[in-house]
């Protein structure tokens, strides 16, 4: 730009009213906040979406080779059904926006979710001080689908496909969003002061309670518990399980970081970076503690425990990834690792068969993480945290149990003994994940 043009531009600007300049600057600032918040949800959302691949790989590696194709089918189908169920019922059930049929308990907004119109400006946005509805829907959907993935792994190798998928629709369309509205929709738990930043209870323990109810009703795999001892049933591919764990670890940065719900200021983006660092530290703490404990207890490290230790560390920090220091985050995650190492054999003593360790990772560590909020967040109340854990736990376990019992009575939820021995890949689907290996 020439010197003359610069002088003319400066003269024009100086002639503009100060109030008009301030108004224009405020409008630009408001737009940028809305854009950055929307961008955070979209980036966080597709990171959490990639966790669907992580769950699939983890489960595919931890089940026996004769059941791998079934786990892949379940994971693709459950995510797709969750997408439809959450749109059709769940989103508005979860976010009543102050319109309650039963105050603080049941949303008064029913029907499918609706996005904003094409090509809106800030004035046409549903909430000009927050983010686009599409980005919010997309982000929250990923959390909903993750809840169903937790159930998939725990009940692997003996559950029928279609009853499981019916349960997924009910879980993601009704059970999950109903209880989530009590906290994230501004319901009675939120009013009571319950703190759960990204869902140690709202997401992870809900998946764990639903899985526990299903495991109790479904029963253990054939031969898992024999003559008072637990019979090991090694997974088909620990390399695949390890890949799945690292994918989940990466996706958790979107899970926790995106839950800051704002990226329009220096403070917000600094907090997001702090959440990333604490999330990573907790995973590392869980993995290392599980590594050391299994060496001490079994004289050899157990890779499956190390993988689940990392995941338990991630679940443990999810309720409050912002306020801890890096050292405290590592400690919180490390206790998650302890929970897994002792939680898996505890379930076996009770003859509760959880194929991938989902219940210790997501339920037990989810409870611990929700309690651990009081260690670093001065606004948290131990009584309120415990009360909320109990409320969500009872509701989810009972509701899930009722659904499982109905499905068992109407459709049957367990494959026949012959089909289970053959493997669900061939008996339910007629195709194998490793056909050449199977024939050799």
């Amino acid at each position: 730009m020439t010197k003359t043009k610069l002088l003319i531009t400066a003269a024009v600007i100086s002639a503009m009213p100060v109030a008009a300049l301030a108004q224009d600057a405020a409008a630009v600032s408001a737009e940028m906040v809305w854009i950055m918040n929307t961008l955070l949800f979209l980036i966080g959302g597709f990171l959490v979406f990639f966790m669907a691949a992580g769950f699939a790989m983890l489960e595919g590696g931890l089940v026996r080779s004769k059941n791998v194709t079934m786990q892949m089918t379940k994971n693709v189908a459950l995510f797709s059904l969750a997408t439809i169920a959450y749109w059709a019922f769940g989103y508005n059930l979860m976010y009543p926006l102050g319109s309650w049929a039963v105050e603080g308990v049941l949303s008064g907004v029913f029907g499918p979710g609706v996005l904003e119109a094409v090509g809106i400006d800030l004035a046409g946005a549903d909430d000009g001080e927050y983010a686009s509805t599409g980005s919010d829907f997309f982000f929250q959907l990923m959390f909903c689908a993750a809840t169903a993935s937790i159930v998939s792994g725990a009940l692997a190798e003996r559950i029928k496909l279609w009853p499981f998928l019916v349960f997924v629709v009910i879980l993601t369309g009704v059970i999950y969003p109903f209880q989530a509205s009590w906290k994230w929709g501004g319901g009675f738990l939120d009013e009571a002061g319950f703190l759960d930043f990204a869902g140690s209870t709202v997401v992870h323990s809900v998946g764990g309670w639903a899985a526990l109810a299903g495991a109790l009703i479904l029963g253990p795999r054939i031969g898992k518990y024999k003559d008072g001892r637990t019979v090991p049933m090694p997974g088909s591919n620990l390399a695949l399980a390890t890949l799945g764990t690292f994918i989940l670890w990466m996706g958790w940065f979107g899970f926790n970081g995106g839950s800051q719900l704002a990226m329009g200021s220096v403070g917000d983006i600094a907090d997001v970076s702090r959440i990333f660092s604490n999330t990573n530290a907790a995973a590392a703490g869980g993995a290392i503690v599980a590594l050391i404990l299994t060496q001490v207890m079994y004289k050899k490290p157990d890779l499956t425990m190390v993988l689940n230790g990392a995941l338990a560390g991630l679940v443990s920090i999810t309720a409050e990834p912002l306020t801890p220091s890096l050292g405290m985050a590592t400690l919180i995650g490390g206790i998650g690792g302890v929970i897994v190492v002792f939680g898996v054999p505890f379930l076996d003593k009770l003859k509760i068969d959880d194929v991938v360790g989902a219940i210790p990772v997501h339920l037990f560590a989810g409870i611990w993480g929700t309690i651990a909020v009081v260690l670093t967040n001065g606004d948290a109340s131990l009584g309120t945290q415990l009360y909320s854990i109990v409320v969500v736990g009872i509701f989810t376990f009972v509701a899930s149990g009722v659904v499982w019992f109905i499905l068992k009575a109407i459709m049957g939820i367990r494959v026949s003994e012959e089909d289970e021995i053959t493997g669900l890949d061939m008996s339910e689907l007629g195709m194998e994940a490793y056909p050449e290996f199977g024939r050799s």
Side-chain angles (χ1 to χ4, degrees):
M1 185 179 287
T2 65
K3 184 177 181 180
T4 302
K5 287 182 178 178
L6 285 170
L7 290 172
I8 293 171
T9 302
V12 171
I13 292 174
S14 64
M16 294 176 66
V18 174
L21 284 172
Q23 187 176 12
D24 289 345
V28 171
S29 177
E31 285 189 354
M32 285 306 300
V33 169
W34 191 86
I35 289 168
M36 294 304 291
N37 290 351
T38 296
L39 184 62
L40 175 66
F41 290 164
L42 294 175
I43 293 172
F46 72 67
L47 279 170
V48 182
F49 165 75
F50 200 39
M51 291 175 72
F55 278 115
M57 296 302 98
L58 178 68
E59 293 170 25
L62 292 181
V63 301
R64 290 169 289 181
S65 58
K66 63 183 180 180
N67 296 307
V68 173
T69 302
M70 174 59 84
Q71 290 309 111
M72 300 303 102
T73 303
K74 284 164 58 182
N75 275 275
V76 174
L78 74 84
F79 185 88
S80 303
L81 286 170
T83 298
I84 296 170
Y86 192 66
W87 159 73
F89 314 106
Y91 186 58
N92 283 329
L93 186 60
M94 184 169 164
Y95 289 111
L97 301 177
S99 300
W100 296 94
V102 179
E103 186 63 32
V105 176
L106 175 63
S107 173
V109 184
F110 300 102
V114 178
L115 304 181
E116 287 150 326
V118 176
I120 61 164
D121 57 12
L122 192 62
D126 289 338
D127 188 344
E129 296 181 356
Y130 184 51
S132 73
T133 299
S135 68
D136 183 61
F137 171 81
F138 179 73
F139 184 65
Q140 297 299 338
L141 165 63
M142 300 304 129
F143 284 61
C144 180
T147 307
S149 296
I150 295 167
V151 183
S152 171
L155 308 184
E157 299 201 318
R158 74 271 199 203
I159 192 167
K160 291 180 179 179
L161 175 62
W162 289 106
F164 170 76
L165 295 181
V166 171
F167 180 81
V168 166
V169 172
I170 298 170
L171 176 67
T172 57
V174 180
I175 296 174
Y176 168 80
F178 188 33
Q179 61 80 35
S181 73
W182 300 342
K183 166 56 187 171
W184 292 342
F188 74 97
L189 292 182
D190 188 55
E191 289 290 329
F194 176 44
L195 299 182
D196 191 6
F197 192 94
S200 286
T201 285
V202 174
V203 178
H204 293 284
S205 78
V206 167
W209 285 117
L212 178 60
L216 289 171
I217 295 168
L218 191 63
R221 288 168 289 175
I222 296 170
K224 178 64 178 176
Y225 305 112
K226 189 175 182 179
D227 300 328
R229 61 189 180 88
T230 300
V231 178
M233 294 182 172
S236 62
N237 192 328
L238 292 186
L240 203 62
T242 303
L243 173 63
T245 301
F246 274 117
I247 292 173
L248 288 167
W249 192 328
M250 184 183 75
W252 233 285
F253 297 127
F255 201 101
N256 287 355
S259 294
Q260 173 68 13
L261 304 182
M263 197 171 69
S265 70
V266 171
D268 285 329
I269 197 64
D271 284 351
V272 171
S273 67
R274 183 182 178 93
I275 290 166
F276 273 42
S277 298
N278 281 338
T279 298
N280 187 67
I288 292 301
V289 167
L291 177 71
I292 294 170
L293 268 180
T294 52
Q295 173 68 57
V296 171
M297 293 171 64
Y298 307 126
K299 309 306 180 187
K300 293 180 181 179
D302 184 328
L303 175 60
T304 62
M305 288 290 195
V306 174
L307 300 179
N308 275 332
L311 297 177
L314 289 162
V315 171
S316 299
I317 201 66
T318 294
E320 184 47 88
L322 176 60
T323 55
S325 65
L326 284 171
M328 182 58 77
T330 306
L331 176 62
I332 291 170
I335 293 174
V338 174
I339 288 170
V340 160
V341 171
F342 288 98
V344 170
F346 172 70
L347 286 182
D348 282 333
K349 286 181 180 179
L350 298 177
K351 293 183 171 56
I352 298 173
D353 188 9
D354 176 358
V355 178
V356 303
I359 295 169
V361 168
H362 297 278
L363 175 54
F364 297 171
I367 291 171
W368 153 243
T370 305
I371 295 170
V373 175
V374 302
L375 300 178
T376 61
N377 190 323
D379 294 329
S381 160
L382 178 59
T384 301
Q385 296 299 102
L386 292 172
Y387 164 70
S388 301
I389 290 167
V390 171
V391 168
V392 171
I394 292 174
F395 166 74
T396 306
F397 184 76
V398 171
S400 299
V402 168
V403 175
W404 285 124
F405 270 121
I406 292 173
L407 290 172
K408 182 178 181 180
I410 295 174
M411 305 175 68
I413 59 175
R414 182 160 186 153
V415 299
S416 68
E417 182 174 338
E418 180 182 356
D419 287 348
E420 184 176 340
I421 293 170
T422 301
L424 276 60
D425 287 2
M426 289 305 297
S427 63
E428 286 269 292
L429 302 174
M431 61 177 67
E432 297 175 291
Y434 309 108
E436 292 86 0
F437 175 78
R439 295 192 196 102
S440 61

